[in-house]
Amino acid sequence: MPIPASQPSSPSLDSAAVRSGGTVTDRLVEANQRYAAAFTDPGMDARPVLKVAVVACMDARIDLHAALGLELGDCHTIRNAGGVVTDDIIRSLTISQRALGTRSVVLIHHTGCGLLNLTEDFRHELAAEVGQRPTWAVEAFKDLDEDVRQSMQRVRTSPFLPHTDDVRGFVFDVKTGLLREIDPQD
């Protein structure tokens, strides 16, 4: 039932954890210790400098900051499976706009997304396996462009979001690194 990974996990993370007798999480905690030793407070506010929130898929192949030329403090980054606009994304965007001053929303889906191969049957199989129905929808889709349009529409029509005039959607190509903008009207 798990979604097959499109790329193998990083051998350096896994082997480092095994060599040290720990887990990958142990390795991450050790890396944080090294990071914290050199860390200095950047003196930033929680409000993004560029007043933008980026909603994207959680896919590990997408380095959003690098792909968009962003620096620490430039944006709010909100990620989930598929980058789809769910109630929780609306919750985060509402807090981002109303409490922390963002005005623009950028939505990013990507080629090769795992949600392209799933259906709501995933929920039914999961319920059969664990004996409890998930309270969430898979939000799977077959058409990237159409799902980006649907996500843009969900943001633009949310009564909780005061700033819906600058909402743009894109598909990130995981092979080229390029964004392709989606016309909301097509």
Side-chain angles (χ1 to χ4, degrees), residues 33-150:
Q33 297 290 321
R34 291 187 299 277
Y35 172 79
F39 183 79
T40 55
D41 179 359
M44 295 178 174
D45 184 282
R47 296 172 178 271
V49 173
L50 299 179
K51 297 183 180 189
V52 63
V54 179
V55 177
C57 184
M58 65 187 191
D59 193 294
R61 297 171 290 181
I62 305 169
D63 182 347
L64 281 176
H65 278 75
L68 301 174
L70 296 167
E71 300 293 329
L72 182 67
D74 281 348
C75 72
H76 283 157
T77 305
I78 308 164
R79 296 180 85 158
N80 69 11
V84 296
V85 176
T86 61
D87 286 346
D88 195 57
I89 294 293
I90 294 294
R91 179 188 72 87
S92 293
L93 288 172
T94 301
I95 293 166
S96 178
Q97 287 190 358
R98 291 182 176 271
L100 297 166
T102 60
R103 299 290 181 262
S104 300
V105 178
V106 173
L107 305 170
I108 302 176
H109 285 29
H110 67 91
T111 58
C113 185
L115 286 187
L116 287 165
N117 301 317
L118 284 181
T119 67
E120 288 299 318
D121 288 342
F122 180 86
R123 287 180 70 233
H124 304 298
E125 293 165 4
L126 186 59
E129 179 183 327
V130 303
Q132 182 177 343
R133 182 181 309 147
T135 58
W136 38 263
V138 174
E139 296 278 353
F141 47 86
K142 296 289 182 204
D143 184 324
L144 278 171
D145 293 14
E146 190 54 40
D147 201 68
V148 172
R149 282 187 202 94
Q150 177 177 312

